[in-house]
Amino acid sequence: MENFEKLIPKLPLIKQMQRREEVFWVNPRKTSFAESMEGCELNAGDVEDAQQRLLRFAPLIEKYFPETKPLHGLIESPLVEINAMKDCLNEKYGADLDGRLFLKEDSHLAIAGSVKARGGIYEVLNYTEKLAREHGFLGEGESYEKLGDEEVRRFLNGYTIQVGSTGNLGLSIGIISAVLGYQVIVHMSADAKQWKKELLRSHGVVVKEYEGDYGEAVKKGRELSDADPYSYFIDDENSRTLFLGYATAGERIKKQFHDRQIVIDEEHPLFVYIPCGVGGAPGGISFGLKQVFRDAIHCFFVEPVQAPCMLLGMATGLNHEISVQDIGLSGKTHADGLAVGRPSGFVGTIMKKMFSGGMTVQDYKLYEYMRDLLAQEDVFLEPSACAAFQGPVFLNQNPELQDYIRKNGLESKMQNAVHVVWATGGSLVPEDIREEYIHTELQE
Ligand SMILES: *Cc1c(COP(=O)(O)O)cnc(C)c1O
């Protein structure tokens, strides 16, 4: 902690973070979209490549998961307008929000019930394609449905997929890998919920539990996997593949807006608020959205007051060289999906000039937002996902954000704005746990 003492006088924000206050930070390094892409290691072509791969796999996904039939094997979530919740945010929280408010229901993504269905499943499919091609199971132009044949399944069963997770990533990777035929080991941090471990075990997944936090689960998982030539480790902190899986959300939501004749351009700005853990999901989604909407979109990340790792890395400029524990925070939060102490350095580097800012939220408020959304819209989200509501609530009440709006020439455009709260998880939460969440009241 001492090493970082000298930073604190320079950054009053850190003092506030140490007091576990809700904070807001506007990214001073944000540039135009074009400039932010200079020297970037990934580009729109990489995202398109991922999108094409998902299309190739769609027949196989449809075969294994009949619930994806309506979308012909694509795993995509509804975009719903939430007017009653908008009124609630305005009346109860003084949000004073102009424009339209939508919920992007990744909570209801098929197979995994969370945003991790984007990145996690994509990475397993990507690896499967590579293995199948290398071993002659996929000829040029052959349908990927073939990968469900007994012969291929037996082959995949000779390989192990491993991952470290706070819960949802393990669920998405565990389920898809087990269904495809792989052996799977998920390394769970202490924060991971019991029901997630049980659900995984019911799919035949081996769940290893660790006393420590997410970082430790990842480290142990990687060591074990590296020691086995037939094992593949999915690295949430550094995986470009996972990131690109998330990024396909950009084109998908563009189509959803288009189908509803909702215009997004510089006159009709889009504000997106995404809960952030290690940064892969919000970073990848933001990257994908940026490729599509460029300077018309403004991306904000939301983290718990005890685990604002991305905000800390970005505000200090130290990226993954600093952890929340370094400034005396515990990293422990009711938002289990966001309980991460150190951000992804790779994501931080890409987001540095691209995302608009970050903010934090107190745990008690997650349950408030959860109950409000349930009452107003009859949609249930897990606590982590509810962090995103802090965005629209803060927007018009925070002086720095108001300044951001002025500096970006957005004042007169806010009545045309579209706000998207990215709901990152919840549909798989069992009934008894929902009840427990709904009745959880924390002290401020
Ligand atoms: C994983 C997760 C996030 C954040 O994703 P990161 O890639 O860790 O930043 C947000 N919400 C939920 C519900 C999650 O499971």
Side-chain angles (χ1 to χ4, degrees):
M1 181 167 169
E2 299 80 58
N3 296 343
F4 302 100
E5 280 302 334
K6 59 182 181 301
L7 266 171
I8 296 169
K10 276 198 283 182
L11 285 171
L13 183 76
I14 293 192
K15 268 239 130 53
Q16 287 177 285
M17 287 164 94
Q18 289 179 314
R19 292 196 296 259
R20 292 143 186 89
E21 287 171 19
E22 290 185 341
V23 296
F24 189 87
W25 177 77
V26 169
N27 179 9
R29 299 183 190 89
K30 179 175 178 279
T31 62
S32 69
F33 169 71
E35 201 178 328
S36 72
M37 286 299 291
E38 280 170 21
C40 183
E41 63 172 290
L42 298 172
N43 60 41
D46 297 318
V47 183
E48 177 56 23
D49 181 53
Q51 172 64 9
Q52 291 303 323
R53 186 163 292 106
L54 288 169
L55 286 171
R56 291 198 291 277
F57 271 100
L60 183 70
I61 295 291
E62 188 174 334
K63 175 173 151 171
Y64 278 127
F65 304 98
E67 67 268 32
T68 63
K69 226 178 190 61
L71 294 176
H72 309 293
L74 282 191
I75 301 164
E76 192 45 71
S77 69
L79 176 68
V80 294
E81 187 154 21
I82 46 171
N83 280 322
M85 186 63 177
K86 182 184 162 194
D87 292 344
C88 170
L89 296 181
N90 285 341
E91 283 154 29
K92 185 170 166 187
Y93 300 94
D96 198 19
L97 195 68
D98 268 339
R100 298 172 75 174
L101 180 65
F102 289 84
L103 191 68
K104 182 63 175 143
E105 293 182 337
D106 278 9
S107 46
H108 293 69
L109 280 173
I111 305 171
S114 83
V115 68
K116 303 297 195 304
R118 296 188 185 279
I121 291 175
Y122 174 68
E123 177 144 9
V124 174
L125 298 180
N126 185 64
Y127 178 62
T128 304
E129 182 182 67
K130 180 172 160 281
L131 271 185
R133 287 230 166 106
E134 280 173 8
H135 291 83
F137 289 111
L138 265 183
E140 209 46 59
E142 237 180 322
S143 167
Y144 281 37
E145 261 189 89
K146 191 187 161 203
L147 298 176
D149 291 354
E150 211 31 58
E151 173 203 23
V152 185
R153 293 178 53 82
R154 257 200 314 275
F155 163 73
L156 294 178
N157 198 250
Y159 290 81
T160 305
I161 306 278
Q162 305 200 43
V163 63
S165 172
T166 59
N168 285 339
L169 186 67
L171 273 188
S172 91
I173 287 170
I175 294 172
I176 186 73
S177 304
V179 165
L180 289 171
Y182 291 102
Q183 312 274 338
V184 198
I185 306 175
V186 175
H187 304 267
M188 288 283 203
S189 58
D191 318 282
K193 301 288 186 222
Q194 194 57 32
W195 70 266
K196 293 182 183 176
K197 298 175 195 164
E198 282 162 18
L199 180 57
L200 277 172
R201 289 184 175 127
S202 78
H203 281 268
V205 172
V206 175
V207 178
K208 290 193 189 269
E209 302 177 53
Y210 297 88
E211 293 294 321
D213 74 349
Y214 167 77
E216 190 190 327
V218 171
K219 186 164 165 278
K220 288 280 164 51
R222 189 194 323 259
E223 278 168 16
L224 271 176
S225 185
D226 286 352
D228 176 356
Y230 290 94
S231 176
Y232 180 71
F233 185 72
I234 296 183
D235 179 353
D236 196 15
E237 275 171 59
N238 296 298
S239 171
R240 276 64 173 166
T241 311
L242 203 70
F243 186 88
L244 290 170
Y246 289 121
T248 60
E251 283 293 340
R252 302 273 184 87
I253 203 172
K254 178 184 173 184
K255 180 167 186 308
Q256 289 180 319
F257 281 130
H258 181 83
D259 288 348
R260 289 156 177 242
Q261 296 164 332
I262 295 168
V263 176
I264 307 291
D265 59 21
E266 301 217 1
E267 294 305 310
H268 304 79
L270 174 60
F271 286 74
V272 177
Y273 313 96
I274 319 177
C276 178
V278 73
I285 290 168
S286 296
F287 184 81
L289 289 166
K290 274 280 171 189
Q291 305 307 311
V292 173
F293 301 113
R294 295 166 174 255
D295 292 314
I297 182 172
H298 307 270
C299 302
F300 295 95
F301 295 178
V302 190
E303 295 173 288
V305 290
Q306 287 282 12
C309 64
M310 186 59 77
L311 183 54
L312 184 63
M314 289 291 173
T316 56
L318 292 172
N319 201 356
H320 64 303
E321 304 292 326
I322 188 167
S323 76
V324 301
Q325 285 81 11
D326 289 329
I327 64 163
L329 295 174
S330 72
K332 293 202 189 323
T333 160
H334 282 241
D336 54 329
L338 315 180
V340 179
R342 190 183 294 279
S344 159
F346 137 72
V347 173
T349 303
I350 294 186
M351 280 299 114
K352 196 162 133 187
K353 297 178 175 179
M354 210 173 265
F355 86 132
S356 296
M359 67 196 91
T360 57
V361 59
Q362 303 255 9
D363 278 10
Y364 82 92
K365 245 187 222 174
L366 303 176
Y367 293 99
E368 293 293 319
Y369 293 144
M370 168 191 298
R371 282 186 281 270
D372 292 332
L373 186 71
L374 194 59
Q376 301 300 331
E377 307 284 348
D378 201 24
V379 176
F380 175 84
L381 300 182
E382 61 185 275
S384 298
C386 296
F389 284 107
Q390 189 80 335
V393 167
F394 261 22
L395 189 67
N396 285 321
Q397 305 194 70
N398 182 283
E400 275 143 285
L401 262 169
Q402 287 304 294
D403 203 41
Y404 175 90
I405 289 172
R406 264 192 308 277
K407 279 190 182 141
N408 284 276
L410 295 168
E411 279 163 301
S412 63
K413 300 172 185 169
M414 292 312 285
Q415 77 224 41
N416 305 328
V418 173
H419 302 272
V420 173
V421 166
W422 213 281
T424 45
S427 66
L428 289 191
V429 177
E431 200 51 52
D432 55 325
I433 311 284
R434 283 186 196 210
E435 281 303 311
E436 198 183 303
Y437 283 159
I438 290 165
H439 294 102
T440 301
E441 306 248 7
L442 301 180
Q443 296 301 315
E444 244 177 82

